[in-house]
Amino acid sequence: MYFDYLVVGAGLFGSVFANEMKEKGRSCIVIDKRNHIAGNIYTEEILGIHVHKYGAHIFHTSDRHVWEYINRYAEFNRFVNSPVAVYKDELYNLPFNMNTFSRMWGVKTPAEAKRKIEEQLSEFGVADPKNLEEQALSLAGKDVYEKLIKGYTEKQWGRSCSELPAFIIRRIPLRFTYDNNYFNDLYQGIPVGGYTRIVEKLLDGIEVHTNTLYKDFLKECGGKGITFGKILYTGMIDEYFDYRLGALEYRSLKFEEERLPDCDNYQGNAVVNYTEREIPYTRIIEHKHFEFGTQPGTVITREFPASWQPGDEPYYPVNDERNEKLFKEYRELAGKEGNVLFGGRLGQYKYYDMDKVIAAALDMAKAEG
């Protein structure tokens, strides 16, 4: 059996690419090391609720082409991401907006909020920030930093803010309106029926093998008479090259799922962040609220940031100077592979929102002709 493409990874990037190539009359075989398709956007129905098994995924984009493309495979609801943050016994709206400032300082108007921030910047601001702490103080002032940024960020990255590079927070959006919509994008929502259904449609008519490791598959191909022209590899680029230049760094996540069949509403919101350093998880997700669920029970997930070691699931690339330099060297190696394409957040060592994943996969498929 000959296939034009072996696609390694049945996540969003690989699935969009495989679908596009099928539309062009090319043949694809898709493999994935997990026991399911859809990668990190995989959703599973539990208690009648579509549970985001790898953390909250809210689709948002201002790219009309991408929005129209994804709507070919799903109907989206009207969900708007409006998380809240808990700091000790205080609760704040996110992103930082007039509701946040009113709760924090008792102000009512944008002018009052701006004056308060300017006061704190004059006292705590830093002209030439050398680290994330100084950068945050110079942009948002002491109160916002200490209550809503410091603990959350240190949990997320596993290091003190004074040890993190300033560029991680290049800018902090401060909105002087009473608007809790986290994203500014024109289009936003959650697919009715969950994300897995989208990937099922994308991969319809394409041969897919789960529970399949890339290197094991290559060893078996000869005996099974399987050959292919090109490879799209969406796994870790450094793993592809057996870490010959060293390992790129990632941050990982651990998820603690709790099923509450006798509770119909645990926290009243889809996403609640916990910004104190002392609380080990960064947020609790209550999945039913993504689809305005009325089920008698509920499912929540606590999200714990974790250090990453080879063998763990990588989630966030650590895009500091050292890792960017190492990735550039791996990218140069990749350019010499000839018949291998590298895509997705792991293959391109880049944190992608879902719309950017789709756009990049479509561009790659177009470039393949």
Side-chain angles (χ1 to χ4, degrees):
M1 292 182 291
Y2 174 81
F3 296 91
D4 293 305
Y5 293 90
L6 165 63
V7 178
V8 182
L12 188 57
F13 193 104
S15 299
V16 169
F17 179 87
N19 181 270
E20 286 297 291
M21 301 319 292
K22 181 189 71 173
E23 294 294 314
K24 296 174 184 289
R26 313 287 179 81
S27 57
C28 295
I29 183 169
V30 179
I31 64 172
D32 199 289
K33 66 179 182 180
R34 290 175 173 169
N35 64 359
H36 59 75
I37 61 171
N40 286 350
I41 66 170
Y42 175 66
T43 50
E44 179 183 341
E45 187 170 323
I46 300 170
L47 300 181
I49 299 162
H50 296 107
V51 174
H52 299 211
K53 298 294 284 188
Y54 300 96
H57 285 81
I58 298 101
F59 196 91
H60 59 98
T61 188
S62 292
D63 187 326
R64 184 172 179 177
H65 175 63
V66 167
W67 181 246
E68 290 175 348
Y69 178 85
I70 198 66
N71 272 267
R72 288 161 51 187
Y73 303 97
E75 176 186 357
F76 281 77
N77 67 20
R78 57 179 177 81
F79 179 83
V80 170
N81 190 29
S82 302
V84 295
V86 174
Y87 175 78
K88 298 187 184 299
D89 60 350
E90 302 169 13
L91 189 144
Y92 296 97
N93 291 101
L94 297 176
F96 309 135
N97 65 62
M98 283 303 300
N99 287 307
T100 318
F101 308 141
S102 179
R103 175 72 178 88
M104 188 170 289
W105 300 313
V107 299
K108 295 183 177 66
T109 68
E112 291 176 305
K114 289 177 181 178
R115 279 197 297 270
K116 188 69 178 178
I117 292 171
E118 287 167 4
E119 287 172 12
Q120 296 203 349
L121 292 184
S122 64
E123 183 177 358
F124 294 100
V126 181
D128 183 23
K130 298 293 192 299
N131 55 53
L132 188 148
E133 179 172 89
E134 293 180 353
Q135 180 77 18
L137 284 169
S138 69
L139 292 171
K142 177 176 180 287
D143 291 342
V144 171
Y145 168 68
E146 291 191 345
K147 292 186 175 185
L148 300 178
I149 297 173
K150 179 177 169 61
Y152 189 95
T153 304
E154 290 181 346
K155 288 189 288 187
Q156 193 76 10
W157 293 99
R159 283 187 277 171
S160 167
C161 286
S162 61
E163 298 172 350
L164 290 166
F167 73 81
I168 290 178
I169 297 183
R170 290 187 176 90
R171 60 182 295 273
I172 298 172
L174 303 175
R175 292 185 190 167
F176 296 96
T177 60
Y178 289 91
D179 179 7
N180 296 324
N181 186 350
Y182 195 81
F183 302 116
N184 289 317
D185 289 306
L186 180 60
Y187 309 108
Q188 182 176 170
I190 299 288
V192 177
Y195 285 98
T196 302
R197 192 175 297 177
I198 293 175
V199 179
E200 288 173 346
K201 292 179 180 178
L202 287 168
L203 295 177
D204 183 42
I206 297 172
E207 186 169 339
V208 179
H209 298 265
T210 55
N211 285 315
T212 302
L213 295 172
Y214 169 64
K215 290 181 180 178
D216 290 347
F217 182 78
L218 291 184
K219 292 175 185 176
E220 297 168 0
C221 281
K224 294 182 177 179
I226 296 174
T227 58
F228 38 83
K230 281 189 173 184
I231 298 170
L232 166 60
Y233 190 84
T234 68
M236 297 161 56
I237 190 170
D238 52 343
E239 184 179 46
Y240 176 88
F241 290 105
D242 297 315
Y243 307 103
R244 75 174 69 165
L245 304 176
L248 291 163
E249 290 182 270
Y250 300 86
R251 288 291 289 169
S252 192
L253 295 170
K254 307 295 183 187
F255 302 101
E256 182 184 275
E257 183 181 292
E258 187 174 356
R259 304 178 186 190
L260 303 168
D262 298 321
C263 174
D264 69 339
N265 190 354
Y266 180 81
Q267 63 186 16
N269 205 51
V271 181
V272 177
N273 290 358
Y274 288 81
T275 63
E276 290 175 73
R277 180 70 184 266
E278 294 71 22
I279 295 176
Y281 46 85
T282 50
R283 59 184 180 175
I284 296 179
I285 301 160
E286 187 169 10
H287 303 269
K288 69 187 300 180
H289 296 306
F290 289 128
E291 296 189 64
F292 312 102
T294 58
Q295 297 90 342
T298 194
V299 181
I300 64 170
T301 301
R302 294 177 180 87
E303 193 170 299
F304 297 81
S307 58
W308 177 86
Q309 300 295 331
D312 294 338
E313 187 64 35
Y315 286 92
Y316 302 106
V318 181
N319 295 116
D320 59 14
E321 186 176 345
R322 177 254 174 198
N323 284 289
E324 284 300 303
K325 180 176 181 294
L326 182 56
F327 170 63
K328 184 178 179 181
E329 294 172 2
Y330 274 119
R331 190 171 57 191
E332 290 172 357
L333 281 181
K336 300 174 184 177
E337 287 296 280
N339 67 335
V340 184
L341 307 169
F342 292 86
R345 63 188 175 87
L346 302 181
Q348 298 175 345
Y349 198 65
K350 182 177 182 179
Y351 182 77
Y352 273 125
D353 286 331
M354 287 180 284
D355 64 325
K356 302 301 189 298
V357 170
I358 292 170
L362 291 174
D363 286 344
M364 182 177 285
K366 184 177 180 180
E368 285 296 290

